[in-house]
Amino acid sequence: METLSPAAARTAPPAAQPPPQIPLPPSFPPGVDPATYRLREVERLLKQAAYLPLFSVPNPALPNRPIPLSLPFLPSLPFLITAVEVNEQTHRFDVGAREADGELSGIDRVGQPAATVGIRWTVIPDDFQAGPGRLPPPTILNPFRSQRFEMLDGQFRFQDRAGSGFHGFGTGRTFPQPGSSYLAIGAVIDVLEGFGQFRGMAGTVVVNGVIRPPDELAINVMVRLMDPGGGMLTREPLSPLRPVPDPDPGSTFMTFLGEPDPDRPVTLNLGPGGKILGSNVHELLRPVRLDFDDASGAVRSRAVEGPIVGRVDATLYFDPLAPQPVSPIQTRDGVFTFFDREGRVAGTVRANMVEGRAFRTPLAGAPMPVFRFGGFGPLLGGSGRFAGAGGMMTMNSAVSVFPRTLSNLYVLRFVDPVGRYRAAVGNADA
């Protein structure tokens, strides 16, 4: 077996690159290194995030309503679905990863209802430029090929005293599953407007799960709200989760936080004239357990990080100087590498972000706007403990180009019908 400690596994940094020609705002004093200026302060701000992990299932009080294809010269064809008016009930979801006996396992506990969701889920052509309020031409859902979709009129409402929630807009893609009538889905939702406790907060939502339209779904909805003041964060124990039967016993989720690797810094890939094409990303990974509650009448978010257990390496395609506020992003050659307690490689998982969005976001205390990243892509197999791994990866992140730092949340959903990756977790572990 290959023996690599997290430190020894890092290679020497690549040769220095010529500095890109980026016009810096006056918030950078003359002569400072933009890659490190106010680095620690911005690192702290990016990590100040309120995570609200939810598990979404059909709402028994308000069934979903399929929208069939309707043409002027034909009657409605109910088996040809173009959209679904979705009404979901989202539950509290205690989710994470932990290392025990030298192996990583997922922590998945679904609890009591926490919020309701209403969205018009609409299939769209691959070349359609989706946006809030933009209606696509009627497009039939085809369960045998991957298709894009948009989520219009999205509204999340929580059960706290302030009636917190948000409006959002998002896009995603379906992924047919061989031998199954279910579709895997990944999606990214931008928080357009928060209300109640979430008023004024920027946020991103990523979606990771399976659906069989119009009525069946089992989906992790991971909300990440930027909370630089830490008003929603707590280190105190949360109220006990009231478990419900697992809506998706054939899947196991694990969550990890990526952070900069000091021995392998992120480097930019530059084109002619210093144009930024993207970057070579190297991160260290920590397992993180995420949960929230509203027992006190206010939403509280709790994140418990573990020690470094691995790394992730990928090539990111992203132009931070693009003039639009929302830019497409993708990754290639993505590999998650995990170590055992002796520092040996215990397994790898391959996954690329096949679709994603970067949202330029002002952040008080940062010398220039940062980016919220959201993206997704299928798991493409692996090695060791994760040989043959299938499922979906979602990424929900906050990234600063200058200074150059990041805080990336990865959610890995493994297809796991026999519980190979799942930890036995009781209330005592909450």
Side-chain angles (χ1 to χ4, degrees), residues 170-184:
T171 60
R173 181 174 285 277
T174 64
F175 298 88
Q177 303 299 285
S180 172
S181 58
Y182 282 86
L183 296 168

Side-chain angles (χ1 to χ4, degrees), residues 127-362:
D127 58 355
F128 180 71
Q129 297 297 312
R134 297 197 65 199
L135 296 177
T139 306
I140 297 170
L141 175 66
N142 183 346
F144 302 107
R145 75 175 186 90
S146 179
Q147 290 178 285
R148 296 185 65 224
F149 60 84
E150 66 179 1
M151 292 170 285
L152 295 164
D153 307 322
Q155 184 168 170
F156 287 67
R157 286 198 173 272
F158 288 73
Q159 299 178 355
D160 61 308
R161 186 170 50 227
S164 300
F166 56 86
H167 301 292
F169 170 80
T171 60
R173 181 174 285 277
T174 64
F175 298 88
Q177 303 299 285
S180 172
S181 58
Y182 282 86
L183 296 168
I185 66 169
V188 178
I189 300 172
D190 181 24
V191 173
L192 301 176
E193 177 190 20
F195 44 88
Q197 199 174 342
F198 307 157
R199 187 178 302 279
M201 301 180 77
T204 312
V205 184
V206 292
V207 175
N208 187 341
V210 293
I211 62 171
R212 185 162 65 181
D215 298 313
E216 298 183 46
L217 59 122
I219 295 171
N220 168 231
V221 178
M222 182 64 73
V223 182
R224 177 175 179 156
L225 299 171
M226 300 185 74
D227 188 13
M232 291 176 57
L233 312 184
T234 184
R235 296 184 178 179
E236 299 298 320
L238 300 176
S239 61
L241 178 142
R242 301 193 298 274
V244 301
D246 192 339
D248 187 16
S251 298
T252 295
F253 292 82
M254 297 187 197
T255 48
F256 300 92
L257 279 175
E259 63 185 52
D261 183 339
D263 293 339
R264 303 181 73 205
V266 172
T267 57
L268 297 178
N269 290 324
L270 304 177
K275 176 179 173 58
I276 298 179
L277 305 177
S279 58
N280 303 304
V281 178
H282 308 287
E283 302 169 31
L284 302 178
L285 294 173
R286 298 179 185 270
V288 61
R289 188 166 179 179
L290 305 171
D291 196 4
F292 77 99
D293 73 1
D294 59 3
S296 65
V299 176
R300 303 185 303 163
S301 169
R302 186 169 186 256
V304 180
E305 298 181 27
I308 292 170
V309 296
R311 67 176 187 240
V312 62
D313 303 283
T315 301
L316 171 68
Y317 295 87
F318 164 57
D319 179 7
L321 299 184
Q324 64 267 26
V326 182
S327 299
I329 53 175
Q330 287 185 321
T331 62
R332 300 279 178 85
D333 305 318
V335 180
F336 295 79
T337 303
F338 299 103
F339 306 101
D340 63 19
R341 290 180 178 178
E342 284 70 44
R344 298 173 298 190
V345 174
T348 64
V349 176
R350 293 181 291 111
N352 293 319
M353 180 168 42
V354 300
E355 187 172 320
R357 299 288 181 271
F359 305 95
R360 184 182 287 108
T361 306

